[in-house]
């Protein structure tokens, strides 16, 4: 885990980085709000001060939320209720007033980390149909525990169908979703990939053709 500390005060920033390091958490310090807007992909969590030299922390948060869901804890001297509510409404995950006790900050970091892990696990959805399993996150198909190699397009077709089990999905929708357009040449391509996918899925048939419309996953 790597934490981005956005804090313009050298003393506060230094104490934070030291305390995090003492708990084996790597952290980088930035003194300007603009820095985190470009560097956010480097971090798993952000500690954000509100009083910053180049822009207000709430403004930083608002801009950050346009491009990233990285967890943010606001750490600020502002303790009025209005600031707290504004921070949370603009996408902060938590809020601590300075000077914060390090034990409390660490407990909140840990809580956010647990939440993020749980969220990741629940989206790493595996769709199970009898002995057939489609791992949408890992992009893998297994039949009776044996991986079945699929091309990228074949997997995307499969994913689009199993994501709507029992529901008719139109050719148009599949072409839009997998190829990004619905030209006639793509229509031929869809037929070819559908045939290949069905061959790899084997028996019993898992995909039903709905004449004049599209396909349905019958798993
Ligand atoms: Ca400050």
């Amino acid at each position: 885990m790597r934490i981005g500390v956005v804090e313009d005060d050298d003393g506060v920033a230094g104490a934070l980085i030291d305390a995090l390091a003492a708990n084996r958490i790597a952290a980088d310090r930035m003194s300007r709000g603009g820095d985190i807007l470009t560097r956010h992909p480097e971090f798993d969590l952000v500690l954000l001060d509100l009083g910053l030299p180049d822009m207000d922390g709430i403004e930083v948060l608002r801009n950050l939320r346009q491009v990233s869901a990285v967890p943010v804890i606001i750490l600020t001297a502002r303790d009025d209720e209005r600031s707290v509510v504004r921070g949370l409404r603009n996408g902060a995950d938590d809020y601590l007033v300075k000077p914060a006790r390090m034990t409390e900050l660490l407990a909140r970091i840990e809580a956010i980390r647990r939440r993020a892990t749980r969220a990741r696990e629940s989206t790493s959805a595996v769709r199970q149909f009898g002995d057939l399993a489609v791992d949408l996150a890992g992009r893998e198909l297994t039949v009776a525990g044996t991986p079945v190699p699929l091309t990228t397009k074949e997997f995307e077709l499969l994913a689009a169908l199993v994501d709507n089990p029992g529901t008719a999905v139109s050719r148009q929708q599949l072409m839009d979703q997998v190829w990004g357009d619905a030209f006639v040449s793509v229509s031929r391509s869809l037929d070819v990939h559908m045939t290949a996918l069905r061959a790899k899925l084997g028996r019993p048939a898992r995909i039903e053709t709905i004449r004049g419309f599209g396909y349905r996953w019958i798993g």
Side-chain angles (χ1 to χ4, degrees):
M1 169 178 230
R2 186 163 207 92
I3 293 187
V5 176
V6 188
E7 169 63 67
D8 60 322
D9 184 299
D10 293 340
V12 173
L16 266 174
I17 302 269
D18 288 349
L20 290 169
N23 286 279
R24 290 195 294 270
I25 297 175
D28 283 345
R29 186 255 180 130
M30 288 147 282
S31 52
R32 295 159 48 86
D35 296 337
I36 192 64
L37 295 180
T38 52
R39 293 188 56 190
H40 61 87
E42 297 172 38
F43 304 110
D44 305 297
L45 191 145
V46 174
L47 298 182
L48 179 65
D49 181 25
L50 290 186
L52 293 166
D54 58 331
M55 59 204 290
D56 189 85
I58 295 287
E59 202 54 41
V60 175
L61 182 58
R62 213 176 274 147
N63 285 304
L64 184 62
R65 280 291 172 253
Q66 307 275 327
V67 292
S68 170
V70 65
V72 173
I73 299 177
I74 290 178
L75 202 51
T76 178
R78 295 182 204 164
D79 61 353
D80 58 296
E81 195 181 327
R82 198 164 149 264
S83 293
V84 175
V85 171
R86 274 184 77 210
L88 295 172
R89 279 218 178 114
N90 281 285
D93 295 82
D94 210 338
Y95 197 107
L96 270 176
V97 174
K98 284 193 271 196
R101 274 195 302 272
M102 203 54 207
T103 46
E104 183 172 5
L105 177 61
L106 288 170
R108 298 208 186 186
I109 289 171
E110 188 47 44
I112 286 177
R113 178 150 61 167
R114 267 200 311 273
R115 223 151 51 212
T117 308
R118 265 203 307 274
R120 251 198 319 279
E121 280 166 359
S122 67
T123 52
S124 73
V126 176
R127 305 277 192 273
Q128 188 82 40
F129 306 92
D131 64 350
L132 184 149
V134 183
D135 181 347
L136 294 173
R139 299 177 69 86
E140 192 181 48
L141 166 69
T142 52
V143 177
T146 307
V148 178
L150 296 181
T151 67
T152 305
K153 292 278 186 258
E154 285 163 8
F155 187 85
E156 286 172 5
L157 267 182
L158 175 66
L161 290 169
V162 300
D163 222 16
N164 304 282
T167 306
V169 180
S170 72
R171 290 178 62 86
Q172 179 81 33
Q173 188 182 331
L174 287 172
M175 288 188 277
D176 278 344
Q177 197 168 330
V178 177
W179 280 270
D181 64 48
F183 293 122
V184 177
S185 59
V186 169
S187 183
R188 286 284 309 144
S189 207
L190 171 58
D191 293 333
V192 172
H193 286 88
M194 186 59 76
T195 303
L197 175 60
R198 278 175 155 157
K200 288 182 182 178
L201 289 170
R203 293 276 150 199
R206 313 271 186 173
I207 301 169
E208 178 191 12
T209 300
I210 301 168
R211 211 167 272 284
F213 182 77
Y215 304 92
R216 172 168 35 214
W217 180 260
I218 48 175

